[in-house]
């Protein structure tokens, strides 16, 4: 069994701290990215919801226009 010297233990502890700091920094970056993505997804969902409402309104308008044109055409004399 090989024993480590105090200097080797301190060096290993320093490397471990550097690794942990790197992981911590990466997690902070990842957390920020995920939070930004979540905000983006919500905004995108809101845009889609608005587009669906507009599309539904357009469909109602087209049906109304179609009914009005048909009513108008029915008033014209037959040839």
């Amino acid at each position: 069994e090989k024993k480590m010297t105090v200097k080797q233990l301190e060096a290993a502890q320093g490397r471990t701290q550097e690794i942990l700091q790197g992981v911590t920094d990466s997690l902070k970056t990842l957390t920020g990215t995920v939070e930004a993505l979540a905000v983006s997804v919500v905004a995108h969902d809101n845009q889609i919801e608005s587009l669906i409402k507009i599309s539904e309104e357009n469909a109602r308008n087209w049906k109304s226009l179609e009914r009005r044109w048909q009513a108008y055409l029915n008033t014209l004399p037959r040839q």
Side-chain angles (χ1 to χ4, degrees), residues 33-49:
T33 301
V34 169
E35 289 171 351
L37 181 58
V39 169
S40 176
V41 167
V42 169
H44 187 256
D45 286 351
N46 290 340
Q47 288 175 334
I48 290 172
E49 186 177 329

Side-chain angles (χ1 to χ4, degrees), residues 6-45:
V6 171
K7 190 172 186 177
Q8 289 172 324
L9 286 172
E10 288 173 347
Q13 183 181 14
R15 286 192 300 275
T16 301
Q17 289 299 323
E18 288 174 10
I19 291 169
L20 286 174
Q21 186 60 51
V23 170
T24 300
D25 292 344
S26 294
L27 285 173
K28 285 179 184 177
T29 300
L30 182 58
T31 299
T33 301
V34 169
E35 289 171 351
L37 181 58
V39 169
S40 176
V41 167
V42 169
H44 187 256
D45 286 351

